[in-house]
Amino acid sequence: MDLTLETPVRFIPHVGPIMAERLTRLGITTVEQLLYHIPFRYDDFSLVSTIAGVRPDETVTVKGKVESFHAFITKTGKKMQEARISDDTGKLTVVWFNQPYLQSIIKEGATIRFSGDIGWFGSKLVMNSPQYELLSTEGDSPSLHTGRLVPVYPETEGVSSKWLRGRVAYVLEHALEKLSEYLPQNIIQSQHLQPLKEAIQVVHFPSTLPEAQEAKRRLAFDELLILQVRASEDKYIREQQQASFPFNVPKDDVLTLINSLPFQLTGDQKKAINDIFADLSK
């Protein structure tokens, strides 16, 4: 199906009616609204290392082959999942808690990228509760969840950031070109703004945090501009529809009152009074 900006999200692959209903809780019903569902932060998994090169207290991405995976209950009663992975430089233990579904996903022999924090479990160096990304081949492939700045989105029950990343990546590939630039080129240049399509692409999958901030600055500019235009339009409609009459305030009486005050008005206060007179006279 050829996606448009108005296409309901249920027609995006791997969405369907159930997930579409959940997305409505996030205010997302169309492809365009999904494009504008902006990350509120990024997990920095851009440090890529060999297994032998990992160090305690690092947040790092490694790629390894799964040698074993098993689940068990610790002495303290916690449900724990543990994978043993390896690359050409060494081996590493990866642990999760209370995620039994992983046993059906992480299989022995699979090559997987893992991104997470390195720490100690007892006397053993481990990676704790990482993000993971299954690779289709032994070679590298484009990543969404590991090895980069990873977007974290506003979520709702049943809709995770990991699931959203996949859907956003799809609509960026198939619908981003449908967006039209509406700012004049001279404004884009004078305000040092990114083009709209570039800003939408970058805000979801930036290479650096400064790059993400520049994309957000363009989108914030648009949001404020739209608010101003809507306010001006509302004011115009209100002025056209409402019957009103000039209201002439006797300025001498007002000046007498002002002169009786035990202080002098500031320039801004005097300007405000003149603005009020002007509005009432309309």
Side-chain angles (χ1 to χ4, degrees), residues 22-57:
R22 293 174 181 175
L23 286 172
T24 61
R25 299 199 295 262
L26 293 169
I28 302 171
T29 61
T30 67
V31 165
E32 184 174 21
Q33 288 170 337
L34 183 59
L35 285 173
Y36 276 91
H37 190 61
I38 305 305
F40 69 91
R41 68 177 174 85
Y42 303 88
D43 286 334
D44 189 353
F45 296 145
S46 58
L47 176 61
V48 180
S49 174
T50 62
I51 287 177
V54 302
R55 297 291 181 266
D57 301 321

Side-chain angles (χ1 to χ4, degrees), residues 75-262:
K75 294 178 181 179
T76 59
K78 294 181 179 179
K79 294 180 180 179
M80 183 173 175
Q81 296 75 44
E82 180 180 283
R84 187 75 170 166
I85 65 171
S86 65
D87 66 7
D88 293 337
T89 69
K91 298 182 179 183
L92 180 67
T93 299
V94 183
V95 298
W96 298 265
F97 292 94
N98 299 315
Q99 299 188 45
Y101 63 89
L102 291 176
Q103 200 157 5
S104 64
I105 299 174
I106 298 178
K107 302 292 187 179
E108 292 183 12
T111 300
I112 302 179
R113 283 196 195 98
F114 296 93
S115 294
D117 298 329
I118 302 296
W120 296 100
F121 187 73
S123 59
K124 182 166 56 177
L125 200 63
V126 302
M127 178 177 279
N128 290 302
S129 300
Q131 293 280 336
Y132 60 89
E133 194 159 20
L134 280 67
L135 306 181
S136 57
T137 68
E138 291 293 326
D140 289 330
S141 60
S143 62
L144 294 179
H145 316 295
T146 60
R148 60 174 307 139
L149 287 178
V150 175
V152 180
Y153 295 94
E155 302 173 357
T156 188
E157 184 176 359
V159 180
S160 67
S161 285
K162 187 168 187 175
W163 183 86
L164 282 166
R165 282 192 288 273
R167 307 291 72 73
V168 168
Y170 184 89
V171 297
L172 283 172
E173 181 178 354
H174 293 88
L176 181 62
E177 287 304 312
K178 308 292 175 62
L179 279 178
S180 298
E181 179 63 73
Y182 53 85
L183 286 183
Q185 193 61 34
N186 65 319
I187 292 180
I188 293 175
Q189 292 176 349
S190 66
Q191 300 300 317
H192 306 290
L193 300 172
Q194 289 182 344
L196 180 59
K197 293 175 186 177
E198 179 183 336
I200 291 291
Q201 175 74 49
V202 167
V203 80
H204 288 292
F205 296 107
S207 298
T208 65
L209 285 175
E211 189 177 87
Q213 291 305 314
E214 278 303 300
K216 287 188 175 183
R217 191 173 75 86
R218 162 63 204 263
L219 300 179
F221 182 93
D222 288 7
E223 186 174 357
L224 290 173
L225 177 63
I226 290 169
L227 287 174
Q228 281 192 318
V229 170
R230 284 177 177 168
S232 297
E233 183 181 35
D234 289 344
K235 182 179 179 182
Y236 174 79
I237 292 173
R238 188 169 59 251
E239 289 176 346
Q240 296 302 309
Q241 293 178 345
Q242 292 181 350
S244 60
F245 303 93
F247 187 73
N248 295 313
V249 180
K251 289 190 176 182
D252 290 343
D253 292 345
V254 176
L255 291 174
T256 299
L257 173 62
I258 291 173
N259 291 332
S260 70
L261 297 174

